[in-house]
Amino acid sequence: MNNVLVTGGAGFIGSNFINYILDERDDYNIINLDKLTYAGNLENLVLSETKKNYHFIKGDIINAELVNYLFQKFDIKYVINFAAESHVDRSILGSEVFFRSNVLGTNVLLEASRKFEVEKFLQVSTDEVYGSLDSEGLFTEETPLHPNSPYSVSKASADMMALSFHHTYGLPVVITRCSNNYGSYQFPEKLIPLMIINTLNNKKLPVYGDGMNVRDWIYVVDHNRAVKAVFEKGKEGEVYNIGARTEMPNIEIVKLILRELGKSEDMIEYVKDRPGHDRRYAIDSTKIESELGWNPKFTFEDAVSQTIKWYLDNEQWWKRIISGEYQNYYQTQYGLR
Ligand code: NAD
Ligand code: TDX
């Protein structure tokens, strides 16, 4: 059996990965280690209940004793590290937990992987490690790292530590750097679900600055198809960018959501900009396409419509979320709107 430790598997992307991989393959035994922070939710794991090759452990990746115990107990051969604090705005409100989970937590996983001689360690990273682009150019794997937020610095630090374990100890590390994801089960602090839910709740849509910051969007399913390709075929010590060539200014996305939901653009409210707000991200994913044969399958228009429909159909899921810790966060971040 291929015993795979998947960390952060109760979050948005990690749960989508586990649902997808359990559906595709029976020969992976998935051990999901997740701390269940505000962003972790076991309801996201739709298939796992019925599967024998799936185990959930509630715990923190920074807990070396627990991590070492799990490596031994489950004879872990592979690691895919999704676990992280993932929201830039929260890292601006307070950075410590970002360094604990994203940097020190990754270090604990790397040390255990070295000790137990794992056969592959996939670090799930982000295009934000490259910093911000002007109106021209794309991030390639050769673009120097220039992270600007506490979040992206923590992710860049983890990337560099993972690569150092490859260089120094020969640990079989691969890294993926993906652009902005969207899809079902995304926590409504991120742009697309936040705008959908505010529209459904007749609340103002808070657009930062002039709304012309550009992000490059990918459907979470395409991201995880790429993670699987890198996990199975990626070359040790290599970084693979993942993107779907879908650059768009934020304001266009907000208007598209309003159009799809039949609401007026009067709901848009331009608010104070995010401090240190990166202007533009855009990914060149030629390497993964040409070397591993991966290509995105979904168009933005279709996948965003599907995502909006999912939030319309799954009110219970997000209503529970916005009635909890989210309220405090929302008030701190946006004030009472
Ligand atoms: P998320 O915030 O939805 O989920 C993170 C998960 O990690 C949660 O289930 C949480 O409980 C868990 N977690 C956090 N700290 C932990 C710890 N110390 N120990 C164990 N579990 C812990 O995040 P996401 O959007 O699913 O992102 C997953 C990964 O993908 C992250 O590493 C993120 O940096 C990366 N990424 C995200 C995007 C995006 O657009 N969301 C894009 C590129 C890369
Ligand atoms: O209320 C908002 N208003 C707004 O204008 C929010 C939440 C966001 N924005 C803007 C800021 C960004 O330019 O929308 C853009 C997207 O913001 P986020 O959804 O917060 O994503 P971003 O900061 O780009 O980071 C995301 O992509 C890379 C993920 O959160 C990271 O985990 C990932 O690494």
Side-chain angles (χ1 to χ4, degrees), residues 181-242:
N181 283 224
Y182 62 94
S184 49
Y185 298 106
Q186 185 168 31
F187 196 87
E189 63 194 354
K190 308 279 167 43
L191 181 77
I192 289 182
L194 185 134
M195 296 300 167
I196 296 172
I197 284 169
N198 277 19
T199 306
L200 295 176
N201 279 333
N202 286 314
K203 285 174 95 171
K204 288 283 185 190
L205 308 190
V207 172
Y208 298 164
D210 61 2
M212 291 305 290
N213 294 66
V214 171
R215 295 294 182 266
D216 192 353
W217 294 93
I218 186 168
Y219 191 42
V220 63
V221 178
D222 274 333
H223 179 186
N224 279 327
R225 290 176 51 250
V227 168
K228 179 170 177 280
V230 173
F231 179 60
E232 292 175 349
K233 300 186 279 186
K235 217 170 121 214
E236 293 174 17
E238 295 287 319
V239 172
Y240 295 89
N241 282 352
I242 303 167

Side-chain angles (χ1 to χ4, degrees), residues 11-217:
F12 162 52
I13 303 173
S15 62
N16 182 280
F17 179 80
I18 292 177
N19 289 332
Y20 163 61
I21 213 77
L22 287 177
D23 198 27
E24 287 255 312
R25 310 263 309 229
D26 290 329
D27 55 336
Y28 285 140
N29 188 34
I30 303 290
I31 295 92
N32 175 10
L33 172 61
D34 196 297
K35 187 179 167 185
L36 297 183
T37 67
Y38 76 91
N41 187 348
L42 292 176
E43 285 174 55
N44 302 4
L45 291 145
V46 288
L47 277 175
S48 56
E49 299 276 300
T50 57
K51 298 277 182 177
K52 286 203 168 52
N53 56 330
Y54 172 79
H55 312 264
F56 174 70
I57 287 98
K58 181 176 189 296
D60 195 325
I61 57 169
I62 210 173
N63 181 345
E65 203 181 327
L66 171 67
V67 167
N68 278 279
Y69 168 77
L70 294 176
F71 270 74
Q72 193 159 34
K73 177 175 158 72
F74 289 101
D75 188 21
I76 298 296
K77 287 278 176 275
Y78 306 95
V79 178
I80 306 182
N81 183 25
F82 289 97
E85 289 294 332
S86 68
H87 192 37
V88 174
D89 289 326
R90 290 191 192 244
S91 82
I92 295 168
L93 293 172
S95 59
E96 192 191 337
V97 70
F98 284 74
F99 283 80
R100 292 182 63 76
S101 291
N102 302 4
V103 185
L104 299 176
T106 301
N107 180 250
V108 166
L109 295 173
L110 286 165
E111 284 293 358
S113 299
R114 178 161 85 90
K115 183 168 159 194
F116 290 92
E117 300 180 343
V118 302
E119 290 170 26
K120 199 150 222 175
F121 185 105
L122 191 155
Q123 174 66 10
V124 178
S125 187
T126 166
D127 60 357
E128 297 200 17
V129 298
Y130 296 120
S132 185
L133 291 164
D134 297 327
S135 53
E136 296 291 305
L138 301 172
F139 296 132
T140 73
E141 290 80 359
E142 309 306 321
T143 303
L145 302 192
H146 197 298
N148 291 316
S149 71
Y151 163 70
S152 54
V153 168
S154 71
K155 294 297 290 183
S157 308
D159 283 18
M160 289 193 288
M161 194 164 352
L163 288 173
S164 82
F165 270 62
H166 172 70
H167 187 80
T168 310
Y169 306 115
L171 189 73
V173 166
V174 282
I175 294 187
T176 56
R177 293 189 180 139
C178 190
S179 60
N180 285 57
N181 283 224
Y182 62 94
S184 49
Y185 298 106
Q186 185 168 31
F187 196 87
E189 63 194 354
K190 308 279 167 43
L191 181 77
I192 289 182
L194 185 134
M195 296 300 167
I196 296 172
I197 284 169
N198 277 19
T199 306
L200 295 176
N201 279 333
N202 286 314
K203 285 174 95 171
K204 288 283 185 190
L205 308 190
V207 172
Y208 298 164
D210 61 2
M212 291 305 290
N213 294 66
V214 171
R215 295 294 182 266
D216 192 353
W217 294 93

